[in-house]
Amino acid sequence: MNDRPLVRLDVDDGVGTIRLDRPPMNALNAAMQDGLAAAAGEAGERADVRAVVVYGGEKVFAAGADVKEMARWSYTDMVDRSSALQEAFTAIARIPKPTVAAVTGYALGGGCELALACDVRVAADDATLGQPEIQLGIIPGAGGTQRLARLVGPARAKDLIFTGRFVPAAQAQSIGLVEQVVPAEEVYPAARAWAERFVGGPAYALRAAKEAIDRGLETDLDTGLAIERQQFAGLFATADRTIGMRSFVENGPGHAEFEGR
């Protein structure tokens, strides 16, 4: 019997990799959703994790939800499950550290929503993304209608969700759905290289920046500015703020050796 976890957190030199491992397509069933929530919580809490890569492996990121599982569920089943579904993806989005999706193969439906929950996305040049739920008679239910619209704009999001069409990597980059496109064999190294930039960084400043941006997007400008002001002022209580400013005054920019506290 194979007791290998469907989702696991591997940590190496300050970078945590949340690895999806349900061959062949990493279909996101309920167990995987729960695994994502657990891995996100662990990554957020561990001091030795300074940035996170979400990765499905060399062949596929995640081809979507487990439709065979969902097809058996009734309305009341989904009422009971839908909160946990959204919360799993929100847990990824709320990791208080820089996160990057390393997208190979397919990122469709729930797979695309998982990539959207990360801060940035690196995709293989032969990757395919999309929200094809409309072809099943449903809509995205793990944040796709909200995060996609915030990322690419409402008109483009409506086009992708209304049609359910697949988007090749180059087009995904052109509309802002992914930030970087590289050859397939370079996806994980490129995503990891992005994450490694933050390993020696000011952890609480990065956390504050992420929260100010994400929370600010959820509200009006005045409230967003208030969130920014609070986060900005709070950083003056950190050791890294003292280190960074002293280093700047004495040595110029780019030489600070932060402690992450």
Side-chain angles (χ1 to χ4, degrees):
M1 181 177 178
N2 185 4
D3 58 358
R4 180 176 60 191
L6 300 177
V7 181
R8 66 179 185 270
L9 175 67
D10 299 326
V11 181
D12 179 40
D13 291 334
V15 175
T17 298
I18 294 177
R19 175 70 161 87
L20 283 63
D21 192 9
R22 190 186 179 216
M25 301 302 285
N26 287 333
L28 296 165
N29 64 357
M32 284 198 77
Q33 295 161 23
D34 294 342
L36 284 170
E42 183 182 354
E45 292 172 359
R46 288 181 57 165
D48 60 338
V49 175
R50 303 295 290 275
V52 175
V53 180
V54 180
Y55 182 50
E58 296 178 356
K59 294 183 178 181
V60 64
F61 184 69
D66 189 330
V67 178
K68 291 182 179 179
E69 179 182 68
M70 285 198 305
R72 300 192 301 267
W73 291 352
S74 67
Y75 166 73
T76 54
D77 291 333
M78 186 51 76
V79 168
D80 293 339
R81 183 64 207 174
S82 58
S83 291
L85 167 64
Q86 285 195 347
E87 287 166 4
F89 289 71
T90 297
I92 296 292
R94 296 295 191 216
I95 294 173
K97 301 163 186 182
T99 60
V100 52
V103 178
T104 55
Y106 292 103
L108 301 173
C112 188
E113 290 171 301
L114 179 57
L116 290 169
C118 296
D119 295 321
V120 300
R121 288 145 292 280
V122 175
D125 54 10
D126 59 354
T128 302
L129 299 90
Q131 300 286 171
E133 289 90 346
I134 203 76
Q135 298 175 16
L136 304 177
I138 58 174
I139 65 172
T145 64
Q146 302 305 303
R147 294 192 178 98
L148 183 61
R150 284 165 169 76
L151 186 65
V152 304
R156 283 187 173 133
K158 288 174 182 177
D159 172 60
L160 296 177
I161 292 170
F162 290 177
T163 64
R165 65 186 178 86
F166 292 179
V167 183
Q171 184 183 5
Q173 185 178 33
S174 73
I175 64 174
L177 179 51
V178 302
E179 284 65 46
Q180 187 177 359
V181 174
V182 299
E185 65 274 12
E186 297 177 19
V187 169
Y188 182 77
R192 185 179 174 88
W194 184 88
E196 287 172 346
R197 299 172 62 186
F198 309 108
V199 169
Y204 284 92
L206 289 164
R207 177 178 185 153
K210 178 168 180 171
E211 185 159 347
I213 293 168
D214 288 350
R215 295 295 189 184
L217 284 171
E218 297 169 358
T219 187
D220 61 272
L221 178 59
D222 285 345
T223 304
L225 289 170
I227 293 169
E228 178 185 84
R229 183 170 66 249
Q230 291 169 348
Q231 295 288 348
F232 173 72
L235 291 170
F236 279 72
T238 66
D240 281 343
R241 190 279 306 181
T242 302
I243 291 168
M245 289 191 172
R246 180 185 297 130
S247 177
F248 181 89
V249 171
E250 295 176 355
N251 304 308
H255 298 286
E257 296 182 1
F258 295 110
E259 298 177 356
R261 61 184 182 89

